[in-house]
Amino acid sequence: MTLSVELLPESTVRDVIGLLVRLIESAGALIIFIGAVWAFVQFVTAGVRGRGKVAGFNRIRLSLGRFLVLGLEFQLAGDVLRTAVAPSFAEIGQLAAIAAIRTVLNYFLGREIAQERAEIERGETASAHDSKGLPT
């Protein structure tokens, strides 16, 4: 004897998940877009004000990298959710490939962000020592 309780038909669940996937992926795309616009405005502002120092551009790149990482995490969440209901082997394979690519991209972006942050902190420490007349 098989007891099966179906709260919602699978087609309804698929439709709801499809809507959620679109919302999550749109949020990820919006985060990346906002980050790119913000970075561009900061870049132009720094150029117009003549503060074209490397440390300033590194801060802009660091912030843009954070937006990219966050946006890619949302994109990956959408991909995982897409395969939540009865995925086929082809969908699982696609998810694995997409997840691998995005994970590698996130890893390298995270590593670059950490390096940029360390450079900025070293620069701030050195300039603080210089401004106090301490040896660097």
Side-chain angles (χ1 to χ4, degrees):
M1 183 171 157
T2 306
L3 180 61
S4 175
V5 177
E6 190 173 309
L7 297 176
L8 292 172
E10 188 175 322
S11 63
T12 303
V13 173
R14 284 185 185 275
D15 291 342
V16 169
I17 288 178
L19 175 64
L20 293 174
V21 166
R22 286 191 296 276
L23 289 172
I24 291 170
E25 288 180 342
S26 296
L30 185 61
I31 290 167
I32 292 171
F33 176 75
I34 289 169
V37 169
W38 180 88
F40 180 74
V41 168
Q42 294 298 314
F43 174 76
V44 169
T45 302
V48 168
R49 291 183 181 168
R51 297 182 313 181
K53 296 179 182 178
V54 173
F57 290 119
N58 285 342
R59 281 194 179 94
I60 294 169
R61 288 183 65 227
L62 182 62
S63 294
L64 177 58
R66 289 179 182 146
F67 278 102
L68 289 173
V69 167
L70 181 60
L72 287 172
E73 290 295 334
F74 272 84
Q75 297 291 322
L76 182 58
D79 292 332
V80 170
L81 190 58
R82 180 178 289 117
T83 60
V85 179
S88 68
F89 282 112
E91 289 174 328
I92 292 171
Q94 288 174 339
L95 175 63
I98 290 169
I101 291 167
R102 290 189 177 158
T103 300
V104 168
L105 185 57
N106 272 341
Y107 170 77
F108 285 110
L109 276 170
R111 208 169 93 183
E112 187 171 339
I113 287 170
Q115 289 173 347
E116 292 287 339
R117 183 180 299 135
E119 282 182 33
I120 289 170
E121 288 172 359
R122 279 194 302 269
E124 288 174 353
T125 302
S127 62
H129 284 278
D130 288 344
S131 65
K132 292 180 182 177
L134 300 173
T136 55

